[in-house]
Structures are given as structure tokens and as C-alpha cells.
Amino acid sequence: MVLPTPRAPRLLSRGSWPEAHRVADALRTETVGGALLLIAALLAVAWANTPWRDGYTTLRDAHIGPAALGLDLSLAHWAADGLLAIFFFVVGLELKQEFVVGDLREPSRAAVPVVAAACGVVVPAVVYTVVNIAADGRPAGWAVPTATDIAFALAVLAVLGTHLPSALRSFLLTLAVVDDLIAITIIAMFFTADLDLVVLGLALLPIAAFGVLVQRGVRTPWLLLPLGVLTWALVHGSGIHATIAGVVLGLLVPVRDARGGSADGSSSHAADLEHRLRPLSAGVAVPVFAFMAAGVTVVDGGFGDALRDPVTIGVVAGLVVGKCVGVLGGTFLVARFTRAELSDDLAWSDVLGLSLLAGIGFTVSLLIGELAFGTGSAADEHVKIGVLVGSVLAALLAAVVLRLRNATYRRIEQYETRDDDGDGVPDCYDQRAQA
């Protein structure tokens, strides 16, 4: 009797329909937000290189807020610490959903994006550090090229007209979520200045109250919002970057809460808040931050000076080379050590395209640049140029690779969206559920 040969485990296989549907909804909002992000960044760069560039600087550096509370901040500071707290709150919600009902709850499916994201952080950091040590530069910016901007990447995909299969979309989103988690950890561990333990201890009180309320199913905004604002103010005053407050609060929101809900968490408090706040995050918070952070002057020799700076070179090399090598290498290592094979629909060129796409860094990269070198410093300006140049190069290279496979992606999309029985669930997911 001949026993059947065991089928090799599959990498980047198609997930469940609820997960694919949730990912598609999230990416649809991020794509629109990415377009606004691009527009805001282009407007900032254009204004900063006109004869009226002083007006941009004046606007960015204008201070508002109560000085008695230590909140007399510039508009750029408010955008980085205040508006981005909304962005990181949504990131916290995403993390909670991924760990509870998403791909990260299954170790076998989580291994690929987690390893790829980790390698996609370590390798760019090493590349940047080696470049700056060899050229007597500034190694302090090692974390700048480690972050992937999912909104920016999806905006590029929208421009290309590339229809990624659901497995690749899920991989890209999960990769970005894990990438954000690592970036949050880096910000908390390496970019915390003078830590005030008393104020940080006080911040635990509204955090605990917020957690108790959401765990009991309370959704009343006039109760939750003041606690969120108070938490943000106390964390800001403690010396920890205030965006960490957003992540912590987001992680406290239950995916399966006291009001019940579906098994996939689609009707939970976390899903409801993400649905409400993602447009605000992607459509307002991130574009405003981009407008305040991306305005770098490249005329009058500024661009040439930046390209000779090891900081700029390290950022570009980290984003374009480091991210690609890290993500592609991490995925290959998982395949090598688990003896897994890619899903039948996919090829390694698809992973190469996504690895290049992961080199598009913007929001978190610019934030880390400001934290590492100081807002408005010469090195910070060169970081901005490096992030812009590296992201454009990564986008162009990803465009070349992914466009070659676009016809295949269209065929896969037709298969994944075909619904002959009209039940609202594509036939391929019905067949998978029956199997």
C-alpha cells in the first residue's frame, strides 16, 4: 500500500472570507487616505520651495495651547504628538483585532508576516548604521528607515491599478501592523527623554478607568473621550511620546465585548471604533501631519548637500535595499525552515514586489527623524529628503515588478470575487469552508 505524500505547508494562502472582507474594507479606507497623504506631502514640499517658504515655516512653528499645562506647542508638535495619537489609537485597535480574530491569532499564519516584519526592521537599521559609521555620519537615526507606511504604499498600488490577490493584501496589512508594533516599541524604548514616574503613575488612573468602562461595554463618547484626552496629556507630561497613549488605549478596547457580537469580532466595540475613527485618522490626522512634516527646502543647493550627507544616504539605502532584503529574506527563511511552498497562485516575484513596496516609509519614519535629531534641524531636513527619495525609488521599483504580474492578479481577482450562487460570499470561500 502506497501512502499519499503529505502536502507541503503553504505560504501566503488565501484566508477566511470574514478576514478577507475586513482586510479589504481597511485597505479601501487606507487607499483614500494615502491619496490625501500624497497630496498633503506634495503641497508641503511645493510651498517650502517657493519664494514664500517663510510663510510655511511661520505656520509650522506657530505656538498654541495652555502654557500652564505644558501644552504651549507648535502646530507641527501638535500634529506629531496630538493628531498622530489618533493614528496610533487606530493602530492599537488593528493590533487587538489581528491578535484576537485576525491572522496573528494563528501561529502558522502569523509566522510569515511576523518574521518578515522583524527582518524588515533589523536589516534597514543595520544598513543605515553601517553607512553612517563608515562615513562618520550620525548613527542616531538608525530607526528612521525601519517603518512601512501602509497608506502611502496603497496609494501607489491604486495609481498602478494593481489588483493584489487577497492573500497578498492580507500579508501586506499584517506586515504593516507588526511593523507598527515594532516602531511603537522603538519609540517607547529609545526615544523617551526625562521620564517622570509620578506623572506616568497618574496616567495609569484614567487608563484603568477607560479599560474598565470599555470592558463593561460602555460606548458613551462623553465618558470615554475625556479619559482619553487626560491620558494623552499625562503621558505627554511624563516624557514618553504621547502617541504611546493612543496605542495603549486602543489595545484595551475589547474585540469580543460584553455586548456580545459575532465570532469574527465584526460587531465589537473595537470594530465599531475602527470604522468610525479610521477615516478621521487616514483622512485628517495623517495628511495634516504629513503637511507639517514634509515641507523640506531643496532649492539653493539644499538637495545636493543632503545627497552627500550619510544620514540621507543611509535612509535611502535602508528603505530601498534594507527593507527589500529584510522582508524577502525573512519570508524565504520561513519557507526554508518550515519546508513550506508558496500558494499555487503566487510566485516569488510577488513577494519581491511586496518587499520593495514595504520600502515606502513616510509617517512613522518622519516622526522618528524628528525624535532622533530634533524638529527643524539640518539632520532632520536631510531625513525628510532621504525618506522622500527612498520612498519614490522603492515605489518605482515595486511598480516595475508588480506591473509585470498585473494580468495574473486580475485573473485571481475574478476568481476570488465570483459569486454564482448570489449569497454574498465568493464561491472560492464557500468551497474552502466546505473543504
Side-chain angles (χ1 to χ4, degrees):
M1 179 179 179
V2 179
L3 295 176
T5 303
R7 184 180 177 86
R10 293 292 179 181
L11 291 179
L12 306 182
S13 58
R14 189 177 299 109
S16 65
W17 167 241
E19 177 67 5
H21 186 64
R22 186 184 72 81
V23 169
D25 287 344
L27 296 186
R28 193 175 299 113
T29 305
E30 293 286 4
T31 302
V32 175
L36 295 174
L37 171 63
L38 287 173
I39 293 171
L42 290 174
L43 286 175
V45 172
W47 189 359
N49 290 277
T50 66
W52 306 280
R53 67 179 71 100
D54 289 342
Y56 173 83
T57 304
T58 301
L59 175 65
R60 183 186 64 190
D61 296 339
H63 278 63
I64 60 172
L69 299 177
L71 295 176
D72 181 21
L73 309 176
S74 68
L75 291 180
H77 200 165
W78 275 112
D81 281 23
L83 288 178
L84 280 193
I86 301 173
F87 165 76
F88 278 103
F89 180 77
V90 175
V91 169
L93 295 173
E94 288 177 338
L95 285 168
K96 187 67 172 288
Q97 296 219 95
E98 286 291 337
F99 279 115
V100 176
V101 298
D103 283 345
L104 294 180
R105 79 184 189 281
E106 301 177 18
S108 59
R109 292 186 65 85
V112 181
V114 168
V115 173
C119 293
V121 168
V122 172
V123 177
V126 171
V127 169
Y128 176 93
T129 303
V130 169
V131 168
N132 276 267
I133 290 178
D136 195 23
R138 302 188 181 205
W142 61 271
V144 172
T146 61
T148 295
D149 195 304
I150 185 65
F152 207 151
L154 291 171
V156 171
L157 286 177
V159 171
L160 295 176
T162 300
H163 302 265
L164 285 182
S166 62
L168 292 181
R169 292 200 305 266
S170 180
F171 173 75
L172 183 61
L173 179 61
T174 308
L175 174 74
V177 168
V178 177
D179 189 287
D180 285 338
L181 175 60
I182 299 174
I184 292 161
T185 305
I186 289 173
I187 291 172
M189 291 181 62
F190 298 99
F191 296 101
T192 297
D194 299 325
L195 183 61
D196 190 326
L197 293 177
V198 174
V199 177
L200 182 61
L202 290 174
L204 296 177
L205 299 177
I207 289 174
F210 183 93
V212 170
L213 289 177
V214 294
Q215 290 296 329
R216 293 188 175 184
V218 175
R219 304 194 182 195
T220 309
W222 62 267
L223 284 175
L224 300 179
L225 185 58
L227 290 173
V229 173
L230 179 58
T231 299
W232 175 88
L234 289 171
V235 171
H236 179 274
S238 73
I240 296 178
H241 197 266
T243 53
I244 302 299
V247 181
V248 172
L249 294 178
L251 289 171
L252 291 175
V253 181
V255 172
R256 297 190 180 101
D257 54 31
R259 292 176 52 167
S262 58
D264 62 0
S266 59
S267 62
S268 68
H269 195 180
D272 180 59
L273 279 176
E274 185 178 356
H275 177 74
R276 292 172 181 272
L277 292 179
R278 186 180 289 277
L280 177 62
S281 170
V284 178
V286 174
V288 171
F289 168 76
F291 180 77
M292 291 294 175
V296 57
T297 302
V298 297
V299 295
D300 299 331
F303 189 68
D305 292 341
L307 293 184
R308 290 188 290 270
D309 188 346
V311 169
T312 309
I313 298 170
V315 171
V316 173
L319 289 173
V320 178
V321 179
K323 270 292 184 181
C324 180
V325 172
V327 174
L328 181 61
T331 307
F332 179 79
L333 286 175
V334 173
R336 177 74 174 176
F337 286 105
T338 63
R339 300 182 183 275
E341 299 175 359
L342 285 178
S343 180
D344 294 334
D345 298 333
L346 305 178
W348 279 103
S349 60
D350 301 322
V351 184
L352 173 62
L354 288 187
S355 301
L356 289 166
L357 202 63
I360 299 176
F362 199 80
T363 306
V364 179
S365 292
L366 293 179
L367 175 61
I368 292 176
E370 293 182 352
L371 295 175
F373 298 117
T375 304
S377 65
D380 181 38
E381 296 295 297
H382 292 177
V383 163
K384 294 175 183 178
I385 292 176
V387 169
L388 292 171
V389 171
S391 297
V392 169
L393 287 176
L396 292 174
L397 292 171
V400 172
V401 174
L402 294 175
R403 286 291 293 179
L404 293 174
R405 292 274 292 168
N406 208 30
T408 301
Y409 297 156
R410 287 183 180 276
R411 288 196 297 271
I412 296 174
E413 182 185 44
Q414 290 175 355
Y415 171 71
E416 291 184 339
T417 56
R418 184 173 178 178
D419 183 18
D420 290 338
D421 56 13
D423 64 351
V425 179
D427 298 336
C428 64
Y429 292 100
D430 284 334
Q431 295 167 5
R432 185 175 183 274
Q434 293 170 3

